[in-house]
Amino acid sequence: MLKFLKGVVAGSGSGPNNLPYNIGEPYSSAWGSWTHSRGTSKDDGSPVSIFSLSGSNANDGHLAAGRNGVKRLRTVRHPNILSFLHSTEAETFDGSTSKVTIYIVTEPVMPLSEKIKELGLEGIQRDEYYAWGLHRIAKAVSFLNNDCKLVHGNVCLASVVVTQTLDWKLHAFDVLSEFDGNSEASTGPMLQYEWLVGAQYKPMEMSKSDWATIRKSPPWSIDSWGLGCLIYELFSGTKLSKTEELRDTASIPKMLLLSSHLKDSSSFAPVYFLVSQSLLPDYQRLLSSMPSRRLNSAKLAENSEYFQNKLVDTIHFMEILNLKDSVEKDTFFRKLPNLAEQLPRQIVLKKLLPLLASSLEFGSAAAPALTALLKMGSWLSSEEFSTKVLPTIVKLFASNDRAIRVGLLQHIDQYGESLSAQIVDEQVYPHVVTGFSDTSAVLRELTLKSMLVLAPKLSQRTISGSLLKYLSKLQVDEEPAIRTNTTILLGNIASYLNEGTRKRVLINAFTVRALRDTFSPARGAGIMALCATSSSYDVNEIATRILPNVVVLTIDPDSDVRSKAFQAVDQFLQIVKQYHEKTNAGDSTGAASGAIPLPGNALLGWASSLTHKGKPSEQTPLASANSSVPLSPVVSSASSVMDSSNIMPVRVSSSEDIADQPAPVSPSSTDGWGELENGLHEENGNEKDGWDDIEPLEEPKPSPALANIQAAQKRPVSQPKLQGTSLQAKNTVKITKNEDDDLWGSIAAPPPKSTSKPLNLKPSEKVDDDDPWAAIAAPQPTTRAKPLSAGRGRGAKPAATKLGAQRINRTSSGM
């Protein structure tokens, strides 16, 4: 039999030199004659625990019991029993004497007595942790006694160890044996190695070697007594020296009530609050003098009121999370952040946090669990956070659960700085970017705001090749808040763009789109972004492209936009003045560069959320001082039309309230910023808007208004023979009839009162309101041209041409 056990133990290796583990420093305490040492794996350096037992010869009784313990530990598996990894037996010689040593390698654990001193818990938190640990040991003993019909024989403080996650586990199986109570023929000791058990831990029947009584008793009678010994040593803080000490119950937890008084109560009746449950009744039943009346460990684990506390309930819920429905999960995880603050911090970080991370990673936890994970993670050091929390977060970015994605983006400021640039560029951004095109406006906005944290960690290739394309589309999003925040984001991340990208992007994004947005906060954001990035522009760009667009906003309907516009004008004029002074002083460096940086601007803040749609005045259109058509991001500015040759500029009244003009449709184009031409530089044929190489687009088509103007320019204008007035005079009357400040309005020819039809126009034809030049463009002929002499009753001879206004004879037969 001994040879068989020796073969089983030594089958995993041939000696300590062949042991694939390094043996480190021993702990100060261990069960029986064993030595408990720290250890590491030679393969990957992972920590382990190594137990060793030595004897003078192979027939030593301690070695025989040790071999029994190795065999039992290898075959008995339970979550609350120490996990076996490896074992070996080695024989060494020192002169003429030999020494045999058994090695057991297990998961890394620490003696319970030393872990308690290390944690230093007190009060309610200590009781909660003890309750949780005792609950685990009670379940392990119940598994041995009730399920396996085995008797441990020596349950005490020394036979319990603690894992790195602060779980209590049972070991020391040297005395472990089958319960043979059903065998009437058995007369000898049921526990072959019971002599290893100290006398203070033996119940009365075991001390008397009354094996007949033991066999008639329940299988749990001996180990229930051992649980009582464990409880005494745990709460007294001392090692049990004799059996009589178990009668001292002063340290055993009793029901503790704290009283208080209600202030609003006239009687000031005391109100009691339960602080801790009582363990004393269960302790007394475990140590009953009659073996048959001792409390079964299974009932202790299931029914004891001492185990009904927040810590035990929380961990138990996490361990059976897959069995809970969605409502229970959602309720639990919403309460968990506040609950975690009340639990022992070490247990939360070493036990609850790994459970929570695992449940999120494998999809069993609900989205609110992410808030609890990040709150617990904030209590870790930066190194521990990177190893215990960040890997889970990175994996969650690939989740298809929209609630999980929203939670990640909402709390990105809590962990974004801990993400490395490589992880962001290669693993996080490819999943985050899907939110830019999501149908949910909230998710699009959260994705946009997350770029403030992620953009500094992205490569220039990712920014130019991907991010800016999405931002270009978001600047014409249907949600005004998203358009506004896109402009703000561009202003904040401008410093992370290379110089070439800044020159191609910023001015077009801020002036062509932001300053012409129908949403007043978006226009204000465009002004602020221009000011915040003022050092990125040279004097030529400021004078020709920025100032003309900003000056228009000084008459904006929104007072906040007007105030920001005046501040921006002052700031950019100061840059131009400094450039002028340097040029006059002969500073060639300043004259060449033209860029005069101002003091740095603070980080731009986000605009209002999507729920804020703005006041009615905030939705008023932005009108140009040079055109009656409100400017929008998809229409070229009117100033570009003014530069066309052969077309006489027409002054349009600006005395009317701009807010009364109809608001244009919000921009909805998803094309890039490259399609929008800056009218102030239209005469420069070789200048691009800077987005052609970022997002390829089709050949840009002129807007409908511009197409009508170009068509009008190509058509020949026929001069009809006039009698009393001319076609030009009629058109002039039409354009200037509403211009109150026209100096020539008092002497201009009044409009005719007759209802004669205009030449070459259909009765149903209307002037295009979107085309400011439609009033003077030649109409499209509907038939072949005929001599005007045959026209509708007018005289064949034209009237003599005179300078100045002409008075019309309203009583003539031609009218």
Side-chain angles (χ1 to χ4, degrees):
M1 182 66 179
L2 292 177
K3 291 182 179 180
F4 171 76
L5 290 177
K6 183 177 180 180
V8 171
V9 174
S12 299
S14 59
N17 294 332
N18 295 327
L19 190 69
Y21 300 93
N22 299 314
I23 302 177
E25 293 294 326
Y27 290 100
S28 58
S29 61
W31 182 84
S33 301
W34 288 87
T35 300
H36 182 187
S37 304
R38 301 172 180 87
T40 57
S41 172
K42 293 181 179 179
D43 295 333
D44 54 7
S46 58
V48 295
S49 282
I50 301 177
F51 296 85
S52 59
L53 177 65
S54 300
S56 57
N57 57 72
N59 297 323
D60 192 319
H62 288 85
L63 292 178
R67 295 186 184 101
N68 177 64
V70 173
K71 182 189 73 171
R72 300 295 186 179
L73 193 63
R74 293 181 64 178
T75 55
V76 177
R77 299 286 176 148
H78 189 268
N80 301 322
I81 292 178
L82 184 62
S83 298
F84 174 88
L85 297 178
H86 189 83
S87 67
T88 189
E89 184 174 337
E91 184 176 2
T92 58
F93 296 91
D94 184 8
S96 59
T97 61
S98 62
K99 181 180 179 182
V100 179
T101 305
I102 299 175
Y103 295 96
I104 305 176
V105 182
T106 67
E107 61 180 318
V109 290
M110 187 176 183
L112 176 60
S113 57
E114 297 189 24
K115 177 58 72 172
I116 290 174
K117 295 178 182 179
E118 180 183 296
L119 293 176
L121 298 176
E122 296 179 356
I124 298 177
Q125 290 190 346
R126 186 204 70 164
D127 289 345
E128 288 180 343
Y129 180 60
Y130 286 0
W132 175 47
L134 286 173
H135 185 263
R136 296 305 174 111
I137 298 302
K139 293 183 71 174
V141 172
S142 173
F143 171 75
L144 294 176
N145 299 156
N146 298 292
D147 298 336
C148 303
K149 303 302 179 183
L150 297 173
V151 180
H152 184 278
N154 192 22
V155 178
C156 59
L157 188 68
S159 61
V160 180
V161 290
V162 184
T163 66
Q164 292 180 328
T165 57
L166 301 183
D167 290 300
W168 292 18
K169 294 202 173 185
L170 184 65
H171 80 122
F173 286 176
D174 294 15
V175 187
L176 186 69
S177 177
E178 287 84 2
F179 179 77
D180 57 355
N182 297 326
S183 177
E184 299 179 356
S186 300
T187 57
M190 186 177 65
L191 302 177
Q192 183 178 0
Y193 304 104
E194 56 86 18
W195 51 270
L196 291 173
V197 181
Q200 70 273 26
Y201 297 113
K202 291 182 179 181
M204 186 64 65
E205 67 274 14
M206 191 173 175
S207 299
K208 296 179 179 180
S209 299
D210 188 359
W211 299 110
T213 302
I214 293 175
R215 287 186 171 92
K216 294 179 181 179
S217 301
W220 59 80
S221 60
I222 294 178
D223 289 339
S224 292
W225 182 277
L227 281 174
C229 298
L230 171 62
I231 292 173
Y232 175 83
E233 291 183 324
L234 189 63
F235 288 98
S236 66
T238 60
K239 187 176 181 180
L240 184 65
S241 58
K242 54 184 178 179
T243 307
E244 289 74 12
E245 293 178 352
L246 296 173
R247 297 177 181 177
D248 183 8
T249 61
S251 60
I252 306 302
K254 305 171 183 62
M255 185 174 295
L256 180 60
L257 297 177
L258 293 182
S259 63
S260 178
H261 293 278
L262 295 177
K263 295 182 179 180
D264 297 335
S265 176
S266 58
S267 61
F268 290 95
V271 177
Y272 293 95
F273 299 93
L274 180 63
V275 176
S276 62
Q277 300 282 7
S278 176
L279 185 61
L280 183 59
D282 298 325
Y283 172 76
Q284 293 172 336
R285 291 184 62 188
L286 288 171
L287 297 175
S288 175
S289 58
M290 299 181 61
S292 60
R293 299 184 62 181
R294 290 175 189 156
L295 181 63
N296 188 349
S297 55
K299 293 183 178 181
L300 174 68
E302 295 173 2
N303 303 325
S304 176
E305 63 180 14
Y306 183 71
F307 299 141
Q308 299 174 7
N309 59 57
K310 295 188 294 293
L311 180 62
V312 175
D313 294 342
T314 301
I315 297 177
H316 180 67
F317 189 97
M318 290 292 299
E319 290 179 338
I320 60 172
L321 193 61
N322 289 328
L323 304 179
K324 303 295 182 179
D325 58 35
S326 59
V327 176
E328 291 176 309
K329 291 180 182 179
D330 188 76
T331 303
F332 172 78
F333 287 120
R334 291 187 186 279
K335 296 179 179 179
L336 186 57
N338 294 330
L339 182 62
E341 294 181 348
Q342 306 171 22
L343 301 177
R345 184 61 53 88
Q346 292 286 344
I347 303 175
V348 170
L349 297 181
K350 293 186 177 182
K351 179 62 180 179
L352 279 183
L353 184 61
L355 284 175
L356 191 58
S358 177
S359 61
L360 275 169
E361 185 175 341
F362 293 101
S364 58
L370 183 62
T371 303
L373 177 72
L374 294 175
K375 184 168 187 176
M376 296 177 187
S378 65
W379 300 334
L380 296 170
S381 63
S382 57
E383 294 78 10
E384 291 178 322
F385 184 84
S386 300
T387 56
K388 296 182 179 181
V389 179
L390 275 186
T392 300
I393 292 177
V394 172
K395 293 179 181 179
L396 288 179
F397 274 104
S399 174
N400 294 325
D401 189 346
R402 181 171 287 176
I404 293 289
R405 295 165 59 195
V406 168
L408 287 171
L409 297 176
Q410 285 177 333
H411 301 93
I412 196 169
D413 56 325
Q414 300 181 24
Y415 60 85
E417 296 299 329
S418 302
L419 295 170
S420 66
Q422 182 178 4
I423 290 178
V424 171
D425 201 51
E426 297 178 359
Q427 301 182 45
V428 175
Y429 177 78
H431 298 294
V432 174
V433 78
T434 58
F436 284 127
S437 55
D438 197 277
T439 56
S440 172
V442 174
L443 191 55
R444 293 201 305 274
E445 185 181 36
L446 289 174
T447 305
L448 175 68
K449 291 183 177 181
S450 70
M451 290 300 111
L452 188 61
V453 178
L454 299 181
K457 300 178 182 292
L458 295 176
S459 63
Q460 286 298 321
R461 179 177 181 181
T462 303
I463 293 177
S464 300
S466 176
L467 177 60
L468 291 180
K469 293 181 180 179
Y470 287 105
L471 297 184
S472 172
K473 295 179 180 179
L474 288 183
Q475 211 180 18
V476 290
D477 194 88
E478 61 184 3
E479 291 291 341
I482 293 180
R483 301 200 302 268
T484 305
N485 286 330
T486 302
T487 301
I488 293 172
L489 175 68
L490 277 172
N492 285 327
I493 68 173
S495 59
Y496 304 109
L497 306 178
N498 57 45
E499 183 178 359
T501 304
R502 285 199 300 268
K503 288 185 175 295
R504 295 196 312 269
V505 171
L506 296 184
I507 293 184
N508 288 309
F510 297 151
T511 61
V512 178
R513 284 198 175 166
L515 298 188
R516 303 179 185 183
D517 200 292
T518 58
F519 190 53
S520 59
R523 300 196 295 274
I527 298 174
M528 295 171 60
L530 284 171
C531 295
T533 58
S534 59
S535 60
S536 302
Y537 316 119
D538 57 35
V539 172
N540 292 330
E541 293 172 327
I542 292 173
T544 59
R545 304 185 64 184
I546 296 178
L547 278 174
N549 285 280
V550 175
V551 168
V552 174
L553 298 182
T554 57
I555 59 171
D556 192 88
D558 188 271
S559 60
D560 184 59
V561 175
R562 293 196 300 269
S563 300
K564 292 176 181 177
F566 279 113
Q567 295 174 4
V569 169
D570 293 340
Q571 177 175 338
F572 287 111
L573 281 178
Q574 183 64 26
I575 297 177
V576 177
K577 288 178 181 178
Q578 292 179 15
Y579 171 77
H580 167 69
E581 293 172 358
K582 285 190 175 184
T583 304
N584 289 344
D587 188 345
S588 59
T589 304
S593 64
I596 303 173
L598 293 180
N601 295 273
L603 193 68
L604 298 179
W606 295 117
S608 58
S609 63
L610 287 172
T611 57
H612 174 68
K613 297 299 182 181
K615 302 177 182 178
S617 61
E618 293 175 342
Q619 297 287 354
T620 56
L622 173 64
S624 171
N626 297 330
S627 174
S628 62
V629 181
L631 297 177
S632 66
V634 293
V635 179
S636 300
S637 62
S639 58
S640 63
V641 182
M642 291 297 185
D643 295 334
S644 302
S645 59
N646 301 326
I647 298 295
M648 180 180 297
V650 179
R651 178 167 182 153
V652 183
S653 172
S654 60
S655 63
E656 298 179 356
D657 187 2
I658 301 178
D660 294 335
Q661 300 178 14
V665 181
S666 298
S668 58
S669 172
T670 57
D671 294 335
W673 286 319
E675 73 165 302
L676 302 175
E677 299 177 359
N678 192 323
L680 297 174
H681 283 269
E682 190 173 5
E683 70 278 5
N684 190 352
N686 56 3
E687 182 176 354
K688 297 181 179 180
D689 54 16
W691 287 93
D692 296 337
D693 54 348
I694 293 180
E695 185 175 9
L697 299 172
E698 298 179 358
E699 185 67 22
K701 298 180 180 180
S703 62
L706 184 58
N708 293 337
I709 294 174
Q710 293 174 349
Q713 293 175 355
K714 296 178 181 180
R715 292 196 296 266
V717 180
S718 59
Q719 297 293 339
K721 297 181 180 180
L722 302 178
Q723 180 179 3
T725 185
S726 62
L727 179 62
Q728 182 178 359
K730 296 178 66 175
N731 287 332
T732 304
V733 171
K734 179 177 181 180
I735 296 175
T736 61
K737 64 181 179 179
N738 293 327
E739 190 164 353
D740 298 333
D741 58 344
D742 190 352
L743 298 178
W744 300 94
S746 60
I747 63 173
K753 296 182 178 180
S754 64
T755 58
S756 61
K757 299 179 181 180
L759 295 178
N760 299 330
L761 294 177
K762 293 183 179 180
S764 61
E765 186 174 354
K766 296 182 180 180
V767 179
D768 186 3
D769 294 335
D770 294 336
D771 187 357
W773 301 99
I776 63 171
Q780 182 69 29
T782 56
T783 60
R784 293 185 178 180
K786 296 181 180 180
L788 290 179
S789 58
R792 309 178 181 180
R794 295 187 181 272
K797 296 182 180 180
T801 304
K802 297 181 181 180
L803 296 175
Q806 304 292 322
R807 183 172 299 277
I808 302 175
N809 185 6
R810 302 182 184 276
T811 60
S812 63
S813 59
M815 300 300 292

